[in-house]
Amino acid sequence: MKIERIMKSVLAIVLVLTANTLFAQIRKIPAEVTDAFYAKYPVAKQVSWKDKLNAFVATFEWEGTMHDARFTTKGIWEQTETRLDESELPADVSDGLSKSKFSDWEIKHVSELNLPGDETNYKLIVAKNKMEKMTLIFNPSGKLLRNSRTL
């Protein structure tokens, strides 16, 4: 009897999470979001959208490179992320990583973050092992601005 109640609870939770995910995937992208996107990237190609519930992310090709641009639900641009090869990481950022407590962690992903106000930061996902991953944000001079666990 107790196991049956637990199974029903688990099933109810799964159904709620699935319904939220489905709802998030079918919500229409507001016109102010798409208008703001095309005003910023008028010749973007291969555009696809993801609904993040509190924002919308457009994945697109621009000038031969793939990008992810994040907009609020009101169409305000928050950031554009561009994937980089590790070799494209600025020397100051590489130096900052080598001087951090994450210097011996393996780099899994590198990207450039373009932010409002012409600010640029660099995002690195690093791993110590299969279970420990961190997202690191560096400024262009190599200062570690923040770090957070990555799931």
Side-chain angles (χ1 to χ4, degrees), residues 70-98:
R70 184 179 177 95
F71 292 83
T72 68
T73 57
K74 300 290 184 198
I76 299 169
W77 174 71
E78 294 183 316
Q79 73 175 34
T80 299
E81 183 172 342
T82 305
R83 184 160 187 157
L84 301 176
D85 288 325
E86 188 176 336
S87 63
E88 297 174 285
L89 196 61
D92 287 342
V93 177
S94 292
D95 189 50
L97 175 63
S98 71

Side-chain angles (χ1 to χ4, degrees), residues 50-67:
K50 290 182 186 165
D51 184 347
K52 300 292 188 174
L53 294 181
N54 62 350
F56 294 96
V57 176
T59 298
F60 62 100
E61 182 185 336
W62 172 267
E63 299 176 346
T65 306
M66 294 304 290
H67 306 269

Side-chain angles (χ1 to χ4, degrees), residues 20 43 50 69 105 120 128 131-132 149:
N20 283 341
V43 293
K50 290 182 186 165
W105 291 41
T120 300
K128 186 172 188 173
M131 300 300 292
E132 288 184 272
R149 291 217 178 272

